[in-house]
Amino acid sequence: MKAELKTVSLARALSKLGVTSRSQACEWVGAGRVSVNGRVVRDPERRVDLDTVRLAVDGAPVAAGSRVYLALHKPKGVVTTRADEHGRRTVYDVLGGAAIPETEARWVAPVGRLDRESSGLLLLTNDTQWGAGISDPRSGVTKTYHVRVQPRMTPEHLARLAAPIPLAEDFNPPVAATVVRESPRGTWLEITLTEGKNREIRRMCARLGYRVDTLVRIRIGPVELGALKPGEVRRLTPKEAKSLRFPFGKGF
């Protein structure tokens, strides 16, 4: 009985080691990418002892490492995935050209997503609990974007943008939506959300008759994109990482 208490499922082991999420681990195991003590295992519920087991993914040994928290300026045209069936450039291709050790870049995963045509701040980590906390709607972590729409937005439509009922029930109203500046090509808006569904800002604006031609995420909680240029990455400070800790989690 005591030995059983020390063991965890293979998927849970990969998650606890900071390699990937449990759901992604299940996919990797099912695809035959994970070996246990030198043998490929395809059952994600296989029990393993973290104190003695030897794990590998795609032949690369897995071991517990330090927690990694990164801020990346995702360029436009890059997809937020590990591999793309259409051969498009991914955030991991971007990390491969950054000054981040390969042993760290291999195991980090994006916290949330930015669509291919959007750019800006994307967090990556091997701390699955931390990442899940930021993505949890209960955390209240805000995401702020600078958005340029065409044509120029009217004051009436700006007011409607912040009202959920006239648009649709599946949209979450922005915490704030303000005009940053007007330009010949349209209106620059600053929009802050607490929970963003897939392409939500683009769909909200389209519902009002506007086309989003530029969308940049500039802030997640207190963490700023700042002076990071497209393709650049930096480590979060311990203070920044702690400021995004989900209050219902176990902490650092």
Side-chain angles (χ1 to χ4, degrees):
M1 177 66 70
K2 291 183 179 180
E4 292 180 0
L5 291 176
K6 291 177 59 180
T7 66
V8 296
S9 70
L10 179 53
R12 177 61 175 159
L14 292 170
S15 176
K16 286 179 69 68
L17 290 171
V19 175
T20 187
S21 66
R22 291 180 67 177
S23 60
Q24 184 71 71
C26 288
E27 294 181 14
W28 288 1
V29 174
R33 296 177 58 187
V34 179
S35 65
V36 177
N37 296 330
R39 293 188 176 184
V40 172
V41 173
R42 294 179 180 270
D43 179 9
E45 295 304 315
R46 162 79 175 271
R47 308 297 291 186
V48 298
D49 186 334
L50 281 174
D51 291 337
T52 60
V53 72
R54 292 181 291 108
L55 301 178
V57 177
D58 297 333
V62 173
S66 59
R67 296 303 189 188
V68 179
Y69 306 94
L70 304 177
L72 168 71
H73 186 156
K74 186 193 88 68
K76 183 177 180 180
V78 170
V79 293
T80 310
T81 185
R82 184 170 291 276
D84 183 70
E85 60 183 4
H86 302 294
R88 295 173 296 185
R89 194 175 182 219
T90 74
V91 292
Y92 291 93
D93 293 325
V94 176
L95 286 178
I100 297 296
E102 191 274 339
T103 52
E104 294 184 358
R106 174 189 291 270
W107 304 124
V108 295
V111 179
R113 291 179 178 272
L114 279 174
D115 66 62
R116 182 175 178 238
E117 296 307 307
S118 299
S119 62
L121 181 61
L122 181 69
L123 302 179
L124 300 103
T125 186
N126 62 358
D127 186 338
T128 55
Q129 184 182 58
W130 182 83
I134 295 172
S135 301
D136 193 312
R138 295 175 299 166
S139 69
V141 175
T142 57
K143 290 86 175 177
T144 302
Y145 306 80
H146 278 177
V147 183
R148 185 171 64 189
V149 299
Q150 295 182 4
R152 291 189 178 189
M153 182 168 284
T154 67
E156 293 76 17
H157 282 159
L158 181 65
R160 288 188 62 194
L161 183 63
I165 297 176
L167 290 171
E169 292 182 359
D170 65 328
F171 291 128
N172 297 297
V175 173
T178 59
V179 173
V180 176
R181 67 179 183 274
E182 300 282 5
S183 73
R185 297 183 60 184
T187 301
W188 276 100
L189 305 170
E190 181 169 296
I191 298 176
T192 299
L193 304 173
T194 53
E195 179 188 0
K197 296 183 174 69
N198 182 39
R199 299 176 67 87
E200 183 169 15
I201 290 177
R202 295 181 185 276
R203 292 188 293 126
M204 285 192 297
C205 291
R207 186 68 60 87
L208 292 174
Y210 296 88
R211 181 175 69 86
V212 173
D213 65 9
T214 305
L215 191 153
V216 184
R217 184 156 62 195
I218 63 166
R219 187 181 308 113
I220 297 176
V223 178
E224 302 270 359
L225 177 63
L228 277 183
K229 297 178 181 178
E232 289 185 342
V233 63
R234 70 172 179 85
R235 298 178 190 277
L236 297 190
T237 66
K239 182 178 179 180
E240 286 177 321
K242 188 173 183 179
S243 72
L244 288 170
R245 177 174 57 85
F246 188 34
F248 300 106
K250 295 181 179 179
F252 286 80

